[in-house]
Structure formats: C-alpha cells, structure tokens
Amino acid sequence: MENRYALPPYKIKMIEPIHQTTHEEREKRLAEAGYNVFQLRSDDVFIDLLTDSGTGAMSHFQWGALMIGDESYAGSASYFRLEAVVKRITGYNYVMPAHQGRGAEQVVIPEMIAHHGMVFISNTHFDTTRAHVEIAGARAVDTAIDACFDTAHYHPFKGNFDLAKLEREILAHGRENVAGIIVTVTNNAVGGQPVSMENIRAVRAMAIKYGIKTVIDGARYAENAYFIKIREAGYRDVPIRTIAREMFDNADVLLMSSKKDGLVNIGGLIAIKDDAELFRRCQTRIVPMEGFPTYGGLAGRDMDALAVGLGEALEEDYLRYRIDEVRYLGDRLLAAGVPIQVPTGGHAVFVDCGKLCPQIPFDQFPALAVTNALYLEGGVRAVEIGSLLLGRNPDTGKNSRAELELMRLTIPRRTYTFQHLDYVADCLVAVANRAGALKGLTFTYESPVLRHFTSRFKPL
Ligand code: F0G
C-alpha cells in the first residue's frame, strides 16, 4: 500500500519512559532555569528536540557490537573494524577516531593552517568549526547562497555555495592564504539544507584550480546523499553508497561528528584521502588532545557501535523514513500557516520566529520567546538559532543581528513517533496563534562566551 510518508523500517524492542509535567510545574522550572531551556533538567522535558546529536536510538546490532569491543590502548581490534568500514565508505586511505566532531576539528584544523592570516571558506561553518578556525588563529568566511536567507523561497539545495562569492573570497584573500574550503553537508546552520552534487563538483573544480584543499564536514553526509538521490537529476537510480562515495571523491579530508549520521551517542571521525604528511602531523597532535590514534577518545566498544551505525545510516529504507518524519512535522506546521524554512531540511524543522513575532526586537530574542512559550505549552524543548546564539560583535560590544531569528525543532534519529510529532505540531500551532502577544526577554546574567548556554533572562 502507498503511504504519503514512509513507515518506520523497524519496531520497538526497548523503551525509555518519558513524563509529562503540569503547566504550573513548567512555569516553576523555567523560572528556575533563568528562562533558558539549556538550564532545564531533561526530566522536566517531555519531548526533547534540542538536538539530533548523540540523542538517537541504537539498533540491536549496535548493542550487540558493544560486547565485542576491544579495549586495548594500542592497536585495538575495534579500531581496525571501524577503519575498514570508513575506508569502504569514503575510499580514503587514513582513518582516526575522535571523541566527537569538535575533537576531530581541534586536531585537523590547526594542521591545515600554514601561516598567519589564513582563512577557511565554507558554505556555512558550524559554530564549533568556526571556533576551532578562530582559536587556531585563522578566520572563517561563509559563502552560502542568498536563497537560504529567504525562508519562504523554495530551493531544492538551499545549502549550496554561492560559487561567485566563493571565487571572490579566494581572490580577495589570495589563494595562498586559503587554508581550506569546508563543505558542510547538510548545511546545519541554514536549516539542515542539502548541497547538490553539481555544487560539490563545482566547488572541487575551483579548489583544484586554485590549489586549495577541500574538507567535508560530514556530520549529516548520508542525509545529504539521500537528498541528492531524490532531488537531483540523474541520481534517482544510483545507490546511496555510490552517491556518498562521489561526494568523498570530491574532497581530501572528512571531519565528522558521528553523533549524527554515525547513529551513536558519542564519537567522531577524521579521514584523509592521500596526504600522508598531513595524516602524520594529525597523528602526532591527536595523542595529547584526544588519545592514541587507534582510539582517539573513544572506548573500543564505541568504535564497534560506530562501525555498525555508519552502515545502518546509509540504508535507503532508514533514510526515506528519517527524511519523511522531519517533512511530516514541517507539513503539519505549513498547513497551519506557521512560517518555516522551506523545503524542510534533513534533521530539523526551522521555524521563522522573526515572522511569527515581528513585535519583538532582535536583541530581545524572538526565537527565545517562542522556544520558552513552546516549553510552557507542552514540555517540548526546542532551541534558539538567532541573535542570541550569534552573540556580540567583539569590536563594538554590540549585539549582532542574525540574518534570521530561527527556532530549531531537531528530530533525534529513530526516537519519536508520528504521534509525538503531532503533539509537537499541536503545541506549536497553539503558540503561533498567540505569537503576536509574546514578549521578548532581557539578560539578568550574560555569560561572556557562548552565551546561549548559560545566560539567564527575565521576560519583559
Ligand atoms: N559540524 C556540524 C555540521 C555539526 O552540526 C556539529 C554539531 C559539529 C560539526 C560538531 O560536532 O557536536 O560532535 O562536536 N552539531 C550539534 C547540533 C551539536 O546540535 O547541531 P560535535
């Protein structure tokens, strides 16, 4: 039988109870948390859509694999199983685990910076990637297409690079000053939006023309490959693994948070195609940062769970359902007139709170106001991705204004059902219907760095 949305290609073997709270309890908990959902205890959250990172469910194959983990400090058999899987997927020669994505970044990014005054250019750097570029003394430049900032505009590959912008930046900085081009797939910051193969190939051609290395930030590379399959001409009948391999063929280095498309709760990966010298330098740096190169901050059992998860995340039935459940939530919200980034991305629905709450100025954080209202409404935890996250301009000390004031409803993998998503949609529609009356927030304590995590607020 045909279904408008794919059915889950699994059944439930183990459950984790969740509890609803009363409105009164949520009022109290949110006030105690300083009106910052990062400060809530997860026990006080009913449906947690803060992130898709490390929050998914493992399969029974992965739980089984944990039992064969080899906890040897050096030369672990688990490492060699993981290495074989990563080599088969990427075609790259060199593989090292890391404790998570930012662990991989802190090892590789400084090793790619040859001298002072270099830049990395990306479609959009993820926050931790940007942070590691800056900590290493370089600058991070974003060159995403303008269409990604118009949430109502449909574009099948809203995560793409603007190739003219990319070339302008290369020429403006001088190619010898570009440390690398980072292709973030999918492009998390603009809505989990995919990058087309055509765009990846064009970026690669430009990188080769100017002699620059290409890095894939592949946290959600399998979801990106699936979007290429269903949206890009010529890929409909191509297997996901072949598409993924073509993506990797067009780069030199993979940095991956495997907490997403590795389907594990913790872990990261570094893979390098053929630069033996870069690999040797990373091997030296990883020891004091993450650990010996054959465990990189992971237990042997974590590496075995990852070796299995990487394969499961490339299964087409899984991906079809994964992308459809996110689309389902997006469709429910669109049907009720809630403004979201269209089309719906791979891992989350991004709600345009600038449009929902035009009465709230950017420095009173419209998306935080909606996030808090959603929690109060139904115990659903989302996350602000807007001017609060962006922070202050380091030179002027003024609040920077984000391009968009978004609230992200991030869907953990293999975790919630369509009924949960219906409930989330019902709660958000109720909030949206009174969004014009919501008030902004002001700081009672503003943390000096990464302020969205620990700052406290009061409603105005
Ligand atoms: N790159 C991308 C595109 C990411 O989305 C993340 C994490 C990282 C790198 C860093 O990986 O967390 O394993 O150190 N994103 C999470 C999120 C935290 O909620 O979007 P990590």
Side-chain angles (χ1 to χ4, degrees):
M1 199 168 87
E2 279 288 332
N3 193 308
R4 221 161 89 72
Y5 301 97
L7 292 167
Y10 46 77
K11 57 183 178 174
I12 296 164
K13 167 144 41 190
M14 184 163 58
I15 59 96
E16 178 181 346
I18 52 176
H19 304 284
Q20 183 57 291
T21 47
T22 64
H23 199 281
E24 208 181 349
E25 284 167 333
R26 293 195 289 276
E27 294 264 10
K28 193 155 172 279
R29 298 292 172 250
L30 191 61
E32 286 164 0
Y35 296 91
N36 181 350
V37 295
F38 276 105
Q39 296 298 316
L40 290 169
R41 289 175 179 235
S42 64
D43 279 348
D44 297 322
V45 174
F46 183 43
I47 296 184
D48 203 346
L49 307 185
L50 190 67
T51 180
D52 64 324
S53 185
T55 52
M58 294 208 298
S59 68
H60 62 184
F61 296 113
Q62 289 178 284
W63 283 104
L66 290 178
M67 296 304 296
I68 59 167
D70 171 8
E71 305 304 341
S72 302
Y73 188 94
S76 160
S78 304
Y79 166 78
F80 291 105
R81 285 189 283 270
L82 175 62
E83 182 197 36
V85 168
V86 176
K87 283 184 170 178
R88 198 157 62 238
I89 293 171
T90 60
Y92 290 3
N93 287 319
Y94 306 107
V95 179
M96 269 185 294
H99 85 279
Q100 62 184 91
R102 63 201 74 180
E105 291 162 2
Q106 71 167 343
V107 170
V108 176
I109 285 174
E111 291 300 345
M112 293 183 68
I113 299 173
H115 54 259
H116 184 70
M118 293 191 94
V119 296
F120 281 87
I121 308 176
S122 180
N123 41 352
T124 314
H125 290 83
F126 179 69
D127 325 351
T128 59
T129 322
R130 174 181 301 277
H132 281 300
V133 165
E134 290 172 357
I135 289 167
R139 287 208 291 126
V141 177
D142 293 338
T143 58
I145 54 172
D146 289 336
C148 71
F149 301 119
D150 179 357
T151 54
H153 172 84
Y154 181 93
H155 186 300
F157 292 101
K158 249 180 174 171
N160 277 358
F161 280 80
D162 180 327
L163 297 166
K165 262 194 232 172
L166 173 61
E167 188 154 37
R168 268 202 308 278
E169 290 292 343
I170 295 172
L171 295 173
H173 293 280
R175 64 179 191 178
E176 66 288 354
N177 296 318
V178 182
I181 298 176
I182 302 178
V183 185
T184 309
V185 286
T186 58
N187 191 344
N188 182 4
V190 304
Q193 297 292 321
V195 181
S196 71
M197 192 69 87
E198 188 187 16
N199 196 251
I200 293 172
R201 277 198 299 261
V203 168
R204 178 61 167 174
M206 204 179 297
I208 288 174
K209 175 173 161 193
Y210 291 108
I212 300 167
K213 272 204 166 17
T214 313
V215 178
I216 290 189
D217 177 350
R220 302 177 182 85
Y221 80 96
E223 291 170 2
N224 199 87
Y226 183 75
F227 279 120
I228 288 173
K229 184 177 175 87
I230 62 171
R231 290 192 188 156
E232 191 160 349
Y235 285 93
R236 175 78 42 179
D237 299 321
V238 181
I240 291 289
R241 278 178 180 267
T242 311
I243 299 173
R245 174 59 81 88
E246 189 181 342
M247 289 164 60
F248 294 123
D249 283 347
N250 282 286
D252 305 291
V253 176
L254 165 66
L255 300 178
M256 182 174 177
S257 167
S258 43
K259 300 170 74 171
K260 287 83 165 172
D261 281 352
L263 288 173
V264 290
N265 303 116
I266 194 74
L269 282 171
I270 298 164
I272 297 174
K273 188 189 267 170
D274 49 22
D275 187 339
E277 168 56 25
L278 175 64
F279 179 67
R280 260 194 301 278
R281 283 189 275 119
C282 291
Q283 265 189 319
T284 307
R285 184 182 287 265
I286 202 170
V287 176
M289 308 288 250
E290 300 281 298
F292 191 77
T294 60
Y295 78 85
L298 293 180
R301 56 180 169 269
D302 293 333
M303 292 190 277
D304 269 303
L306 175 55
V308 176
L310 285 167
E312 292 180 358
L314 285 165
E315 285 170 13
E316 199 173 321
D317 283 353
Y318 156 77
L319 282 168
R320 186 180 305 116
Y321 176 69
R322 163 71 181 154
I323 299 302
D324 269 15
E325 67 176 342
V326 180
R327 183 167 65 89
Y328 175 74
L329 177 58
D331 287 352
R332 281 251 10 227
L333 295 173
L334 282 172
V338 178
I340 64 169
Q341 173 74 296
V342 296
T344 312
H347 67 296
V349 177
F350 284 62
V351 180
D352 190 335
C353 298
K355 282 190 187 159
L356 265 185
C357 304
Q359 77 280 12
I360 304 180
F362 79 95
D363 54 358
Q364 294 174 15
F365 313 124
L368 182 63
V370 178
T371 301
N372 285 347
L374 180 63
Y375 175 70
L376 291 176
E377 182 69 31
V380 177
R381 175 157 66 172
V383 63
E384 194 263 9
I385 307 228
S387 296
L388 171 61
L389 178 76
L390 193 61
R392 290 181 186 272
N393 179 317
D395 299 326
T396 65
K398 289 211 168 99
N399 276 309
S400 300
R401 180 174 196 155
E403 207 63 65
L404 293 168
E405 302 296 341
L406 299 170
M407 176 180 75
R408 186 178 75 171
L409 299 162
T410 338
I411 314 299
R413 294 171 182 75
R414 307 192 291 204
T415 301
Y416 292 116
T417 66
F418 272 44
Q419 278 165 295
H420 290 118
L421 298 181
D422 273 328
Y423 173 78
V424 170
D426 292 343
C427 290
L428 184 55
V429 170
V431 169
N433 287 338
R434 53 183 165 76
L438 291 177
K439 300 270 197 303
L441 295 101
T442 182
F443 289 105
T444 57
Y445 160 70
E446 183 177 352
S447 126
V449 281
L450 296 173
R451 63 181 186 174
H452 53 293
F453 290 132
T454 50
S455 291
R456 299 179 69 83
F457 303 88
K458 67 169 189 255
L460 286 163

